[in-house]
């Protein structure tokens, strides 16, 4: 299991736009279609990554809590499905149903969106304010598969709470750690 850190995109960066299909509904959405009134969380995840599987239950719980407060949750998978067929859009739809995702699970076939966000790993989290400016990027919490620390979501949740309450987002933001995004081989 590779341990790849996130790239830590510069705070204040404007969210790159996208138009991607939602594997759960078959609808195609733009960033603006899915943008939250108070904030937007973009998560790069995938089906097979043990780091994502480790946090799925807490992600679903956070989404169920914070979507009602005006923060939109958007999951994107950018993995190469030729070499990683378990991440195919059909399997994404199954995963979304099995895990109870209440948020869109978008497929970035070209991998252009992952590149635009400088996404490096799964999971990789990017929290934007109501103006789509980056206020938090980094880890969900200190838990990793096998380290014995319970999954709490505390780092990301603190950022979301502070965003909603007009408080400063903590400046100390630790990189997420996960499996590397499975990039397509280029000729």
């Amino acid at each position: 299991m590779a341990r790849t850190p996130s790239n830590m995109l510069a705070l204040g960066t404007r969210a790159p736009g996208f138009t991607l299909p939602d594997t759960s509904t078959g609808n195609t959405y733009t960033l603006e279609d899915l943008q939250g009134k108070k904030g937007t969380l973009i998560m790069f995840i995938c089906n097979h990554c043990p780091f994502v599987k480790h946090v799925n239950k807490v992600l679903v719980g956070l989404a169920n809590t914070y979507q009602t407060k005006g923060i939109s949750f958007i999951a994107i998978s950018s993995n190469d499905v030729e070499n990683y067929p378990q991440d195919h859009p059909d399997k994404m739809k199954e995963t979304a149903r099995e895990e109870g995702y209440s948020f869109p699970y978008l497929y970035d076939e070209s991998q252009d969106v992952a590149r635009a966000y400088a996404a490096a790993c799964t999971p990789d989290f990017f929290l934007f304010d109501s103006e789509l400016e980056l206020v938090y990027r980094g880890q969900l919490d200190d838990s990793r598969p096998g380290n014995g620390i319970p999954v709490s979501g505390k780092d990301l949740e603190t950022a979301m709470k502070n965003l909603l309450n007009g408080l400063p987002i903590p400046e100390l933001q630790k990189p997420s750690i996960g499996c590397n995004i499975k990039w397509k081989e280029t000729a």
Side-chain angles (χ1 to χ4, degrees), residues 1-2 43-61 79 84-87 91-92 94-96 98-101 103 105 121-125 140-141 143-146 149-152 176-179:
M1 164 168 60
M43 311 171 280
F44 287 86
I45 65 172
C46 71
N47 298 337
H48 83 277
C49 173
F51 291 89
V52 174
K53 289 179 178 185
H54 181 69
V55 301
N56 259 331
K57 187 174 183 177
V58 168
L59 284 181
V60 169
N79 278 357
Y84 297 88
Q86 62 271 48
D87 291 328
K91 302 278 187 197
M92 290 170 62
E94 287 176 27
T95 297
E98 289 167 3
E99 295 293 339
Y101 290 173
F103 43 83
Y105 193 9
C121 59
T122 55
D124 211 346
F125 300 99
L140 182 70
D141 58 34
S143 181
R144 306 286 184 268
I149 298 172
V151 182
S152 66
S176 189
I177 301 283
C179 296

Side-chain angles (χ1 to χ4, degrees), residues 75-116:
I76 301 172
S77 178
S78 300
N79 278 357
D80 171 13
V81 298
E82 282 190 35
N83 291 309
Y84 297 88
Q86 62 271 48
D87 291 328
H88 188 277
D90 291 341
K91 302 278 187 197
M92 290 170 62
K93 182 176 184 174
E94 287 176 27
T95 297
R97 183 180 38 77
E98 289 167 3
E99 295 293 339
Y101 290 173
S102 58
F103 43 83
Y105 193 9
L106 309 177
Y107 178 47
D108 175 24
E109 181 176 14
S110 70
Q111 301 184 315
D112 290 342
V113 178
R115 282 187 192 85

Side-chain angles (χ1 to χ4, degrees), residues 122-166:
T122 55
D124 211 346
F125 300 99
F126 301 85
L127 178 63
F128 297 89
D129 65 15
S130 61
E131 302 300 315
L132 292 176
E133 290 187 7
L134 186 64
V135 296
Y136 179 85
R137 75 286 193 250
Q139 69 178 10
L140 182 70
D141 58 34
D142 289 321
S143 181
R144 306 286 184 268
N147 76 356
I149 298 172
V151 182
S152 66
K154 71 177 179 69
D155 291 31
L156 178 60
E157 187 167 25
T158 296
M160 290 189 293
K161 281 181 180 176
N162 287 12
L163 177 63
L164 290 172
N165 292 313

